Amino acid sequence: MPQQDPASPLVSVVVVNYRGADDTITCLRALAEHDYPNLEVICVDNASGGDDVARIREAAPDVRLVTSSANRGFAGGCNLGAREANGTVLALLNNDARPAPGWVDAAVTTLRAEPTVGAVASKVLDWEGTGTDFVDAGLTWFGMGYKRHAGGPIADVPRGEHEVAKDVLFATGSAMFVRSSVFAELGGFDERFFMFYEDVDLGWRLNLRGWRVRYVPESLTYHRHHATMSEVDSPDSGRETFLLERNALAALYKNASDETLARALPAALALTVRRATARGELDPAKLDLEHGTGPAETAAVPVPRSTLAGVLAIDRFVEQLPSLAESRATEQAARVRTDADLLPLLRNALEPAYPLPDYLAAHDILVEAFGIERAFGTRRKVLVLTGDAITERMAGPAIRAWNIAEVLSGEHDVRLVTVNPLAEPPPAPFPVSAARRRDLREPIGWADVVILQGHVLEMAPALQSEYAHKVVVCDLYDPMHLELLEQTKDVPDDRRAADLEGVTRVLDAQLQRGDFFLCASERQRHLWLGHLAATGRLTPRLYDADPTTQSLLSVVPFGLSARPPERTGAGLRSSLGLSESDRVVLWAGGVYSWFDPLTLVRAVERLSTRHDDARLVFLGMKHPNPEVTDMDIGAQTMRLSDSLGLTDKHVFFNEQWVPYDDRQNWLLDAHCGVTTHFEHIETTFAFRTRVLDYLWAGLPIITTDGDAFADLVRRERLGVVVPAEDTDALADALEKCLYDTEFADGCRERIAAVAERYTWPNVLDPLVRFVRDPRPAADRLAGAADLTAEPPLNRAQKLRRDAALVKEYLADGGPTELARRAAGRVRKVVRTRTGRD
C-alpha cells in the first residue's frame, strides 16, 4: 500500500464480505496496489461462516478486518465499517468490484474543489469494461431507483451521458464516496433496507438537505454485477423482488413531501399489486362473480413467488410504518429542497419501468387518476418578510418587498408578511398579511425559502433554532448602520452608541445566518464583502465553492415597473394648484437626515430670480410607516423655505405620502427629478430608490456627486451631477434641465434605454435564479467538515518549536520578554484545564 501523505485526505475504503471470499480477496489485492497515497482499507465480514474470515486475513494481512456477529446486510455492514473508519472520506466499494487507477484521486479532487458536493458517484463498467453498469441515476414516481443505460454496451451510450461530470440523485453503492461527517450526520445507510435502494435513499436524503451528489467519470471501477447475490439467492426465489418492492415504498414514504406523498403513495401501493399479478400472469378476474357464477371453487390458487414477493412487500412495509414515520419526520424537518427542485435529477419520473402490457395499462390509469404529473411539479413556497408598513402609501422597503413577492409569484407560491401592525394592502396576486412575533412560526414552517429585510431576523428566532436549516435570503440593500450615523446626530451620545451597536448586531446576525444576500450596487457589494470577511463568514469552504462570491452576494438594485407610467388621475398640478405652464422639478421621496434639501431650496431661490415659473415640489413629508419618527431636516427645510418667502410660490410641500399606485400622476406632471445629499459615508454606499421613479417617468436627473446613482447619471448622460452643497452649481443644473429643451430631450432618449435595465423582472434576475435552485450556503450545510487537518506535533517537534520560540523571545526582549511569554503560556494552560474541569 502506498505511503501515507498527510496533505491528502485520509480515505477509508469499506468493503463488505458475505460468503464471497474469492471476490473480496481480489478486490482487496487491487486496493493494496492502488495509487492513492493516503488510504486505509476496512473489510467487514457479515457473519459469513465457513473459512471466509481466515482466508481474507491470510490473503490481506494489512487490511483491518471487522467481523459482525450477524448478517447486517450491505447497509448494516457499510455502517459498521464506517464507524471503524478514521478517514474524512468514506469510499464504499462492492467486494466484486475493482478500482481503476485514479479512482480515489478523481473523487477526492472533486470533493476538495466543490464543498457543496457531499458524495461522488463513480463510473462503473462491467468486469471487461465494455458494458454499462452505472453512468447515471433515475427514480420513478413510485420510489424505484434505477441505473440509467445499465446492461447495454457502453459504446451505445451517448458520450455526453457517460464522459461528462454531472449532478445525480444518488450514487451506486457498488462504488461511491461520501464525506464521513455527512454520512454520520445522516445516520449512514438506513439498515431497514438491508440491501437494495439503501444507496438511492441516502442520495435522496443528501439532495433534500442541500448537498449535491456528483457523477465523476474519471473515478472508474469495474464490477461483476450481482456476484455476491448469486451465491446466496436465485432469480426465481422472489427474495430480491421482495426487497426491491418493499424498499421502494419505504424510500418514497420517507422522502417525498406531504403533497407528493398524498398522491403518490396510494397509487404506488396499487401499482405494486399490479406488478405482482402481471409478473405471475395471474387472472385478475379469477374471483370476480361477474365473470362466472358456476359452482364455487375452493381449491388453492397457485401463486408464483414473484407475485407473492409484491404482496409480502406491502405487508412488511406496513409493519415498518411506525419506525419509518419517525424517520420521515426527521427527513421532512431537515429538508431544504423541494420535490420540484429534485425533479431534474429523477430524469424521467413517469417512466413505467416494467414492459408488461397489463402493468403498463395500470400505470397509465393510476398516473391519470391520482394526478401524478401535478404532484411532481409542485411550486416552491416562498415567504417574503418585511418590517415596513404595507398600505397604498408604501415606502422603499415595502415597495421592494412587494415587487419581490410579485415577480416570484409567477413561478412559486408566495406570501408577503409584514411585522408592522399597519397592513392595509392594495389588491395583490399573492397573500399579504401582518404578523406579530409569535405568529411568525407558522409561515416560516410553511416556507421553503425565507426572504427578509431589516430587523426582521431578530423577530424570528425560529430561524436560528428549529428552522435553522431553512434557506434564508437576506436583503441588505439598506445599510442601516450608516444611515443611523446621520439619523441620530441629535440623540444623546450614549444612546447613539448603543443604537449603532444594536443595529450592527442585527446586521451581523443576518450575515451569519443568510444563505444568499442581496445588495443594491457594486459599491454596496464591496461594503458587504468586507463585512462578511470581518464577521468570519468568508471561509475557505465558501471561497472554494465560488471564488467570485457571486452565488453568495449578488447586486439587485431597486427596480421600477416594467409597465410605462399611465395617467390614472390628478397629479401635483391640480393637487397643489400649479398651472400648466409652470416648470416643475420634483423631489420624489422622503426628506431624511442624510439628504441636503436646504441647498436645494437656496438654489431654487436663486433660480426664481431668473425664472419666475420655476417650481420645486416635495412629494411626501410624512413617512407612511408610523414607526419611523419625523426627522428635523424636514422641519428645517420648511422653515428655510418660509424665511425665503418661497413656500407655496416656488416651493411646495405635500404633507402626506402619495399612494404608491398614484405616484405616476405626480411624476408625469414634472419636468425633471432631483436628489441632493451631504458628503459622508452614507452617501458613498446609498442607493436612492426613488430616483428610479425618475427613470420610469423619463425625467432628467439632477443629483449630488458621490453615490452610485451619480456614477450612473454621469456615465449614461441622464442629467447633471453637481458637487455637494454647491448652491450655484445646483441652480445652474436646475436651469439646464428645466429650460434647455435640447439637453432635456437627449436625456429622456437615453433614459428610455437605461430604464429597461432597471425594471423589476430584470434587476431581480439573480434572486429569481437562486429561488429556482435554492441551497444552503456551502458553510451552512449540515455535516460539513474539513477534509484535511495538520497532523499534531510529536515530542521532538514540540521541543524544536519551543527552542526556536525561546531564541526569538530572547532576541526580541531578553529575559524579561521570555519571562512574560512564559507566564502567559502558564495562564493559558491553567484557563484551559479549569474550563475543561
Side-chain angles (χ1 to χ4, degrees), residues 145-197:
Y146 62 99
K147 299 183 283 189
R148 299 181 72 238
H149 308 297
I154 189 66
D156 292 346
V157 179
R159 293 166 66 91
E161 284 286 286
H162 72 89
E163 291 187 355
V164 179
K166 58 192 170 186
D167 285 0
V168 293
L169 182 68
F170 62 87
T172 175
S174 61
M176 66 176 290
F177 296 79
V178 60
R179 297 175 188 269
S180 300
S181 57
V182 177
F183 194 75
E185 176 72 20
L186 270 67
F189 285 135
D190 187 332
E191 297 189 16
R192 287 167 300 200
F193 285 61
F194 195 75
M195 62 189 304
F196 302 128
Y197 292 168

Side-chain angles (χ1 to χ4, degrees), residues 212 249 271 273 488 789:
R212 295 161 55 211
L249 291 170
L271 200 58
V273 173
T488 59

Side-chain angles (χ1 to χ4, degrees), residues 193-306:
F193 285 61
F194 195 75
M195 62 189 304
F196 302 128
Y197 292 168
E198 73 290 317
D199 48 5
V200 177
D201 172 69
L202 180 71
W204 199 343
R205 291 188 286 140
L206 279 166
N207 274 286
L208 284 176
R209 297 189 186 208
W211 287 100
R212 295 161 55 211
V213 181
R214 190 75 171 163
Y215 167 74
V216 178
E218 295 79 12
S219 178
L220 174 64
T221 57
Y222 304 94
H223 184 215
R224 279 196 194 99
H225 188 58
H226 275 192
T228 299
M229 194 68 182
S230 64
E231 295 292 324
V232 298
D233 197 15
S234 61
D236 57 356
S237 73
R239 290 177 174 176
E240 180 176 342
T241 301
F242 166 81
L243 288 173
L244 291 171
E245 295 284 6
R246 185 199 64 181
N247 292 352
L249 291 170
L252 177 68
Y253 181 77
K254 284 175 58 181
N255 298 311
S257 68
D258 290 346
E259 296 86 349
T260 300
L261 191 67
R263 291 181 184 272
L265 183 57
L269 291 167
L271 200 58
T272 303
V273 173
R274 177 56 71 94
R275 273 195 302 275
T277 59
R279 278 194 300 263
E281 298 182 349
L282 291 184
D283 178 7
K286 184 75 175 177
L287 305 181
D288 190 345
L289 280 176
E290 185 180 348
H291 291 78
T293 56
E297 296 183 24
T298 58
V301 177
V303 177
R305 295 178 72 89
S306 60

Side-chain angles (χ1 to χ4, degrees), residues 357-596:
D358 286 349
Y359 167 79
L360 293 174
H363 178 275
D364 292 345
I365 290 170
L366 291 167
V367 166
E368 176 66 25
F370 285 87
I372 300 301
E373 288 185 82
R374 295 192 298 276
F376 279 80
T378 304
R379 287 157 63 96
R380 190 167 293 105
K381 299 168 186 171
V382 181
L383 174 65
V384 182
L385 287 173
T386 182
D388 213 17
I390 299 179
T391 67
E392 290 188 346
R393 292 174 168 84
M394 289 188 285
I399 293 170
R400 187 170 169 92
W402 181 278
N403 282 280
I404 286 172
E406 184 172 44
V407 169
L408 294 178
S409 67
E411 298 183 24
H412 313 289
D413 293 332
V414 178
R415 293 186 193 176
L416 174 58
V417 175
T418 179
V419 294
N420 193 289
L422 189 55
E424 299 171 359
F430 45 84
V432 184
S433 62
R436 291 168 292 187
R437 174 174 178 155
R438 65 172 180 265
D439 301 325
L440 288 178
R441 190 179 305 274
E442 185 277 327
I444 289 172
W446 166 85
D448 300 313
V449 179
V450 179
I451 303 170
L452 54 82
Q453 301 174 327
H455 292 263
V456 173
L457 181 60
E458 63 183 328
M459 300 183 67
L463 285 171
Q464 307 282 21
S465 53
E466 72 254 52
Y467 295 127
H469 62 283
K470 293 275 186 181
V471 174
V472 171
V473 178
C474 296
D475 187 3
L476 302 172
Y477 93 98
D478 181 10
M480 301 183 297
H481 52 332
L482 303 185
E483 287 183 354
L484 200 69
L485 289 170
E486 281 295 318
Q487 191 174 348
T488 59
K489 276 187 172 180
D490 297 329
V491 174
D493 290 347
D494 58 342
R495 172 67 181 278
R496 187 183 187 201
D499 287 348
L500 181 61
E501 182 181 350
V503 168
T504 305
R505 193 161 50 243
V506 168
L507 292 171
D508 286 346
Q510 289 187 50
L511 293 169
Q512 290 292 347
R513 177 60 181 87
D515 297 292
F516 186 56
F517 301 96
L518 311 179
C519 62
S521 66
E522 284 296 336
R523 288 191 182 201
Q524 281 195 7
R525 191 167 188 276
H526 296 158
L527 168 72
W528 295 121
L529 281 175
H531 207 146
L532 283 163
T535 56
R537 190 70 200 278
L538 283 186
T539 61
R541 198 169 290 127
L542 272 176
Y543 177 82
D544 291 346
D546 176 15
T548 71
T549 67
Q550 291 289 345
S551 61
L552 177 71
L553 173 62
S554 284
V555 175
V556 174
F558 211 84
L560 51 88
S561 173
R563 299 179 294 274
E566 295 180 2
R567 186 174 294 281
T568 58
L572 62 84
R573 294 183 186 274
S574 61
S575 298
L576 301 176
L578 275 63
S579 73
E580 291 299 320
S581 62
D582 287 337
R583 310 297 290 179
V584 179
V585 57
L586 181 66
W587 178 286
V591 179
Y592 309 131
S593 301
W594 44 89
F595 287 131
D596 178 19

Side-chain angles (χ1 to χ4, degrees), residues 58-122:
E58 180 180 359
D62 293 334
V63 170
R64 181 145 37 114
L65 186 59
V66 179
T67 59
S68 174
S69 59
N71 181 8
R72 303 160 61 94
F74 180 74
C78 286
N79 286 352
L80 180 58
R83 287 194 290 271
E84 296 289 329
N86 297 306
T88 56
V89 176
L90 288 174
L92 307 177
L93 186 67
N94 270 14
N95 71 318
D96 52 358
R98 77 175 192 273
W103 173 61
V104 177
D105 194 62
V108 168
T109 297
T110 297
L111 290 171
R112 296 192 74 171
E114 302 188 52
T116 59
V117 172
V120 166
S122 296

